[in-house]
Amino acid sequence: MKFPQDIFKQAHELGLVNCHVSESCGGMGLHTLEGCIIAEEMAYGCSGVGTAIEANTLASMPVILGASEEQKKKYLGRLIDAPIQAAYCVSEAGAGSDVAAAATTAEKKGDKYILNGSKMWITNGGVAQESGGWYFVMAKTDPTASAGKAFTGFIVDAQSPGVTVAPKLINMGQRCSDTRPIFFDNVEVPAENIIGQEGNGFKLAMGAFDNTRPPVAAGAVGVARRAMDEAMQYASERKTMGTTINQHQSVAFMLADMAMNVEAGRMLTWKSAYEIDQGRSNTMYASMAKAFAGDACNKIVADAVQIFGGAGFNTEYPVEKLMRDAKIYQLYEGTSQIQRVIISRHMEARGPGGLAP
């Protein structure tokens, strides 16, 4: 359950971390589609490692979208120069799917803001502090304004006085990923660390998801493909009633359904990535990809365990780990239900014929 620091360092050396950072800041400047291809392969090996790496992208995205060039070079440059971690601090105990309910505050005092509150389920929250990294924090600066203008995005050095990182949460799956509660007690943040302008935080936080939900969906595809491959291999060796079980129609059809959903999930994921790479709004497609791939992944890993039978219920084979790892894809970066809310609203706005090719 330890954070895979050695693997993270190797991935950093190979350029597989912070792929979306522009060349002007020392990065590779990869597109979202290219990131999705990497994310699928990472998750095929271990989605916990993939999440540990992808968390840097999520934290970086508000900076990429809205920060000044000086901020980008300073904070994105730090991620390029050394294998440190960053974390996206938006969710709270009472504000998961309902992001607008976030209660963390930032009060302006002179040329600084005083940050108070707590964040929950923060991926890379502990290792970002240990490595000398930083946080993107969304905090309320105007309690009287609507959600769209009430919050501001800040870059907060993780080792700032007043930042307390709680013990690591023990998750169902992806256990090497570092998930923590984080507390901010009168943390002083320079006004120069505001991303964009005051009141733009909610837009930045939500805009990041258009870029990061496709790679998350790709991760779900990777886990699903791994489960399918494990099930195919086992079904080609396990014999019942005088033949390998992949010759039984009930099992063969389960494998066929897996293949259809893996391919469909990948194509929808790639479409959502391609749309934003072309400079078009992909919000609806990103939600479609995230919901479809996450739900399909959970069905596929459950069917893989079923094909393994009793052997799939213990740790001798990897499918039990894949089943535990898969669940988070229906939860983080917006639950499957929230994705359907987004999709339905976009459908309503487009009207009949709005999805014509």
Side-chain angles (χ1 to χ4, degrees):
M1 291 190 292
K2 186 178 179 181
F3 183 86
Q5 200 65 260
D6 290 342
I7 297 175
F8 188 95
K9 289 178 181 178
Q10 292 177 39
H12 186 273
E13 290 175 3
L14 292 170
L16 298 175
V17 188
N18 313 308
C19 297
H20 304 307
V21 174
S22 67
E23 293 181 5
S24 64
C25 294
M28 296 176 66
L30 296 188
H31 294 106
T32 306
L33 180 56
E34 294 163 322
C36 286
I37 294 171
I38 294 171
E40 180 179 336
E41 297 306 316
M42 284 285 189
Y44 185 95
C46 176
S47 62
V49 172
T51 293
I53 290 172
E54 188 62 28
N56 264 31
T57 301
L58 178 59
S60 299
M61 199 52 63
V63 177
I64 292 172
L65 294 176
S68 66
E69 285 302 312
E70 183 179 355
Q71 288 173 324
K72 289 177 183 179
K73 288 182 179 180
K74 180 178 180 179
Y75 288 98
L76 299 180
R78 282 168 58 180
L79 299 182
I80 298 297
D81 292 341
I84 64 174
Q85 288 81 38
Y88 177 90
C89 300
V90 173
S91 293
E92 299 183 5
S97 294
D98 185 12
V99 177
T104 296
T105 62
E107 182 182 356
K108 188 173 184 180
K109 289 190 175 181
D111 60 352
K112 298 178 182 178
Y113 284 78
I114 308 302
L115 199 62
N116 281 287
S118 62
K119 298 295 181 178
M120 190 64 175
W121 309 295
I122 305 305
T123 305
N124 282 6
V127 291
Q129 187 178 67
E130 293 167 9
S131 67
W134 49 269
Y135 302 137
F136 165 74
V137 180
M138 189 189 80
K140 184 170 287 186
T141 49
D142 185 352
T144 65
S146 62
K149 296 182 179 179
F151 299 95
T152 300
F154 297 89
I155 303 171
V156 179
D157 282 298
Q159 294 181 349
S160 298
V163 176
T164 302
V165 176
K168 176 179 175 177
L169 300 173
I170 306 304
N171 295 327
M172 175 192 292
Q174 298 193 357
R175 290 184 174 177
C176 70
S177 176
D178 182 71
T179 310
R180 311 264 189 146
I182 300 178
F183 301 92
F184 301 92
D185 183 13
N186 291 321
V187 177
E188 294 186 358
V189 183
E192 65 187 33
N193 280 30
I194 287 180
I195 301 175
Q197 58 187 12
E198 188 172 303
N200 204 37
F202 187 82
K203 181 180 179 181
L204 286 169
M206 296 300 99
F209 288 143
D210 288 348
N211 294 271
T212 60
R213 278 174 179 156
V216 169
V221 172
V223 172
R225 179 162 62 89
R226 174 66 181 275
M228 178 183 69
D229 286 351
E230 295 289 346
M232 288 176 64
Q233 181 65 33
Y234 185 81
S236 70
E237 299 170 351
R238 175 82 164 100
K239 290 184 177 181
T240 64
M241 304 169 195
T243 187
T244 54
I245 62 174
N246 61 358
Q247 297 303 307
H248 298 313
Q249 189 180 71
S250 58
V251 173
F253 280 12
M254 291 170 74
L255 294 171
D257 285 341
M258 290 180 184
M260 288 190 292
N261 281 295
V262 165
E263 290 295 323
R266 182 186 295 119
M267 290 299 101
L268 188 51
T269 296
W270 285 8
K271 178 180 176 66
S272 69
Y274 177 79
E275 286 297 305
I276 198 164
D277 284 346
Q278 297 304 306
R280 296 189 288 262
S281 173
N282 75 331
T283 303
M284 181 179 71
Y285 294 114
S287 289
M288 286 179 171
K290 169 73 167 55
F292 183 89
D295 291 350
C297 177
N298 276 268
K299 177 66 165 63
I300 288 168
V301 296
D303 284 348
V305 171
Q306 192 70 21
I307 288 172
F308 273 77
F313 196 64
N314 57 57
T315 58
E316 183 178 356
Y317 293 97
V319 288
E320 67 86 24
K321 175 187 182 297
L322 295 173
M323 190 172 187
R324 290 187 288 103
D325 287 349
K327 185 57 191 176
I328 193 62
Y329 287 107
Q330 293 177 310
L331 301 174
Y332 64 8
E333 293 209 25
T335 64
S336 292
Q337 289 71 33
I338 287 296
Q339 307 309 325
R340 285 168 169 80
V341 170
I342 295 169
I343 294 164
S344 63
R345 287 176 178 171
H346 277 263
M347 290 177 66
E348 183 178 354
R350 289 176 178 230
L355 291 177

